Amino acid sequence: KAGVTQTPRYLIKTRGQQVTLSCSPISGHRSVSWYQQTPGQGLQFLFEYFSETQRNKGNFPGRFSGRQFSNSRSEMNVSTLELGDSALYLCASSLGSTGYGNTIYFGEGSWLTVV
Amino acid sequence: QQPVQSPQAVILREGEDAVINCSSSKALYSVHWYRQKHGEAPVFLMILLKGGEQKGHEKISASFNEKKQQSSLYLTASQLSYSGTYFCGTERMNRDDKIIFGKGTRLHILP
């Protein structure tokens, strides 16, 4: 059974540009959560999608957005990139929505460097 | 509302035991434990639910004290492969639909 797949794995962007990251969950999983990981802050929750609906959002500016498609695949977008957006972006999928003790499984992440 | 993990880092020799703690100021429904090796995805270890039993997985086990909103991860007779960063993630009783992670505990096992 394939795991969570994230693309691209590595990318370099310039300040002011925008970026789109993609996540394919484990087959049959309907929930996708996104996290930003930086050395000082650990794993910071961005948002969760379940059945194409955003169920929750973390404390990030509106430049961070996401969506989920009918096949459960998800994308997140960051507009007007800043140097501080450099991080590992992790996607995690689960069978059911979080908040009910469902286990989430992480992908290997997308390393974003903003220069 | 981010759970607090302690210690921040620990160095052990192979065969020694370790305890990693995770505490929250909010009433918790569940605690999730993950291990992440450098450059890799966090890997699920176990989940503890309110009212559930203590979990165990080979030489790694965990407990959840519901009264204190604390969980502890026990690593017995540590192996070199146990090195990595351990994260606890918590879900609150209000079921606000997100798992919030602590900043992690770095564990380094020496031969």
Side-chain angles (χ1 to χ4, degrees):
Chain A
K1 194 174 187 180
V4 178
T5 304
Q6 293 189 243
T7 56
R9 289 294 317 280
Y10 305 92
L11 66 166
I12 301 174
K13 291 286 187 179
T14 304
R15 267 186 305 175
Q17 287 186 315
Q18 66 97 24
V19 66
T20 299
L21 308 178
S22 179
C23 172
S24 293
I26 293 171
S27 178
H29 284 196
R30 297 170 62 192
S31 169
V32 172
S33 299
W34 288 90
Y35 289 85
Q36 181 194 66
Q37 186 173 28
T38 55
Q41 297 301 317
L43 292 157
Q44 299 284 299
F45 174 78
L46 281 158
F47 26 65
E48 186 216 357
Y49 286 88
F50 181 77
S51 294
E52 302 180 65
T53 301
Q54 186 181 87
R55 293 181 58 85
N56 217 326
K57 192 176 191 304
N59 295 323
F60 280 82
R63 301 185 296 107
F64 291 81
S65 63
R67 59 178 176 169
Q68 187 181 33
F69 303 96
S70 58
N71 61 358
S72 294
R73 190 177 69 85
S74 178
E75 289 181 346
M76 68 162 283
N77 183 275
V78 187
S79 61
T80 319
L81 285 166
E82 301 177 358
L83 295 178
D85 296 333
S86 295
L88 175 64
Y89 290 88
L90 289 163
C91 166
S93 77
S94 63
L95 201 57
S97 177
T98 57
Y100 298 91
N102 289 304
T103 299
I104 64 173
Y105 298 92
F106 285 93
E108 291 189 315
S110 293
W111 286 94
L112 170 65
T113 300
V114 182
V115 298
Chain B
Q1 63 185 25
Q2 184 178 35
V4 177
Q5 289 186 233
S6 63
Q8 290 184 320
V10 59
I11 300 175
L12 296 174
R13 291 211 173 270
E14 198 173 10
E16 293 181 335
D17 300 338
V19 179
I20 299 172
N21 300 303
C22 173
S23 64
S24 174
S25 59
K26 306 292 183 182
L28 299 177
Y29 175 72
S30 70
V31 179
H32 305 235
W33 285 97
Y34 289 79
R35 176 173 62 211
Q36 184 179 33
K37 293 183 180 289
H38 185 69
E40 299 181 8
V43 173
F44 172 73
L45 293 174
M46 63 190 74
I47 179 174
L48 299 104
L49 302 177
K50 177 179 168 60
E53 298 177 353
Q54 178 168 337
K55 296 284 189 176
H57 173 64
E58 295 183 346
K59 295 180 181 178
I60 301 175
S61 62
S63 63
F64 179 19
N65 186 324
E66 297 169 25
K67 290 183 179 179
K68 295 184 177 181
Q69 307 306 326
Q70 291 178 349
S71 178
S72 294
L73 185 71
Y74 306 95
L75 300 143
T76 305
S78 57
Q79 306 168 13
L80 293 176
S81 61
Y82 288 1
S83 291
T85 301
Y86 290 78
F87 292 96
C88 71
T90 56
E91 289 175 300
R92 291 167 51 179
M93 281 299 294
N94 66 355
R95 307 289 183 89
D96 61 359
D97 304 328
K98 56 188 176 186
I99 300 173
I100 302 299
F101 287 90
K103 293 188 176 183
T105 295
R106 295 189 309 278
L107 175 65
H108 187 62
I109 308 297
L110 299 172

